[in-house]
Amino acid sequence: MSIALRSLLIAPVLLAGSALVAADQSVTFLSYQSSVPDAWVSETPKSEMRQLQFKVPASGAEGGDGAEFVVYFFGPGQGGTLEANIERWQSQFQGPDGAPVEPTVTQIGTETIPATLVELRGSYGRSVGMGPGDDVLADRMLLAGVIETQEGNLYPQMHGPAELVAAQREGFIAFVKGIQPVAPTTP
């Protein structure tokens, strides 16, 4: 597709506090659809529980490591309660003095698809269970969602350098708020 044609198909959007950026790329998974920012690079999911996986490249001349965006789905009734997930995510973070980091929890879903956003920032040691993993990295941020669907909960997450993840927050929220069932096709 030519660049000119592509730019006609992609409408610009204005994110809070930012310049115009290219519109989003559509994504479909399970029986849902939404969109993610064009700058996010699709990757092959590393496990069957990952429905989507994207690399969020670092911006600017300084480079640095990027962030990762993943949507987890464990099946109907699986994945734990919102409270259990918040407790686990919180246990993976520490403040500068080693103290626990308090999460920011916000309801961001719709009437038809309830969703909760959890935000944590500090030193982060990603692990599967409780507590920080072995490699604790300073100044990290986690955006984690719990999206309640009829098929079971979806768990979108973005983690990486705090400044980069904070800059991508609106794209993450737009993904969550944009989740819709895939329209059935008619023969």
Side-chain angles (χ1 to χ4, degrees):
M1 176 182 313
S2 75
I3 293 174
L5 179 57
R6 186 166 191 257
S7 64
L8 288 173
L9 296 174
I10 298 176
V13 295
L14 184 61
L15 298 179
S18 70
L20 285 177
V21 297
D24 302 331
Q25 54 184 312
S26 294
V27 293
T28 303
F29 59 101
L30 299 172
S31 62
Y32 298 95
Q33 62 188 12
S34 190
S35 60
V36 298
D38 249 2
W40 298 7
V41 179
S42 179
E43 296 182 328
T44 301
K46 292 179 185 175
S47 76
E48 290 181 14
M49 295 184 200
R50 292 179 175 213
Q51 297 300 307
L52 295 174
Q53 180 172 320
F54 285 83
K55 175 75 173 175
V56 181
S59 59
E62 73 282 348
D65 57 340
E68 181 180 58
F69 172 78
V70 174
V71 177
Y72 293 98
F73 178 73
F74 303 107
Q78 302 297 309
T81 65
L82 173 63
E83 295 76 16
N85 278 289
I86 291 173
E87 183 179 342
R88 182 173 47 78
W89 296 327
Q90 185 179 16
S91 76
Q92 298 170 353
F93 277 85
Q94 297 177 350
D97 57 357
V101 173
E102 287 302 314
T104 301
V105 180
T106 311
Q107 299 302 314
I108 62 169
T110 64
E111 278 189 40
T112 56
I113 303 179
T116 303
L117 172 65
V118 179
E119 302 175 69
L120 289 152
R121 184 174 183 164
S123 294
Y124 181 49
R126 188 159 180 84
S127 68
V128 175
M130 296 293 284
D134 294 334
D135 297 324
V136 177
L137 301 170
D139 199 24
R140 297 295 168 159
M141 186 169 184
L142 172 70
L143 299 176
V146 178
I147 303 169
E148 301 171 37
T149 76
Q150 291 182 0
E151 293 180 37
N153 290 346
L154 301 171
Y155 300 91
Q157 294 183 16
M158 179 183 290
H159 66 89
E163 189 174 312
L164 174 60
V165 173
Q168 298 296 320
R169 183 179 184 273
E170 292 302 318
F172 183 93
I173 290 172
F175 169 83
V176 172
K177 288 184 172 185
I179 296 243
Q180 295 296 317
V182 173
T185 57
T186 54

